[in-house]
Amino acid sequence: MKILIIEDEVELAKSIAEYLSEENYLCEFASTFSEAMGKIEVFQYDCILLDITLPDGNGLKILEELKKEQKQDGVIIISAKNALDDKIKGLQIGADDYLTKPFHLSELAARIYSVIRRKQFSNTNVVTQNELQIDLLAKTVSVSNEIIALTKKEFDLLVYFIGNKNRVISKSTLAEHLSGDFADMLENHDFVYAHVKNLKKKLYDAGCDHYLKTVYGTGYKWESL
């Protein structure tokens, strides 16, 4: 799961990223309005943490741009402002949640999880497809009630595929999801093939049906009726 932290307080952004990294999130940063705009134009995120007050612009303008472009990134406003009108305006524009500084990092993580669960998984903690069951909270995967061991990357890939079921996802998109903006610096995306291959093998060896399909020359698709 990929998070964009739009925050000009460097130490706060670092502490958020350190905490969320322990929760298996991939974090990217933007400390200015212009930097944030550049990132949302190019990349897609599971959740964006958005500070309203930025040195070169208003964070609510970023939110407006996301909604104008009909992007589906989850958005949690984090701001020192506690004014009711800011909160109402942000939620009316389309923010999914609002958290006032200072806050506990554990609460922020819970809010992020809630937003992603609500947007991608119909507000459930357990995703089931026939013999396959994914516990999003416990981060476990089982096939016919038998737990299978996945790496963090494999689990992240599986959840990403399930969250984008019946859509063809390119290797470059998967590389970006797994590596963030470092993906542009890589010579090739062979590591994506390796992770997908390992994920397929573990699922199929456990008796899971072949839901994950290779779309030759394009990418991959998770099929679900």
Side-chain angles (χ1 to χ4, degrees), residues 3 26 29 53 86 100 105 133 143 202-203 220:
I3 308 294
L26 176 66
F29 302 94
T53 307
D86 286 326
T100 303
L105 293 173
Q133 187 174 85
V143 176
K202 288 181 179 181
L203 290 174
Y220 303 93

Side-chain angles (χ1 to χ4, degrees), residues 17-36:
E18 288 174 3
Y19 187 90
L20 294 181
S21 295
E22 293 296 319
E23 298 289 315
N24 298 331
Y25 292 107
L26 176 66
C27 297
E28 294 180 15
F29 302 94
S31 59
T32 65
F33 178 89
S34 57
E35 187 180 3

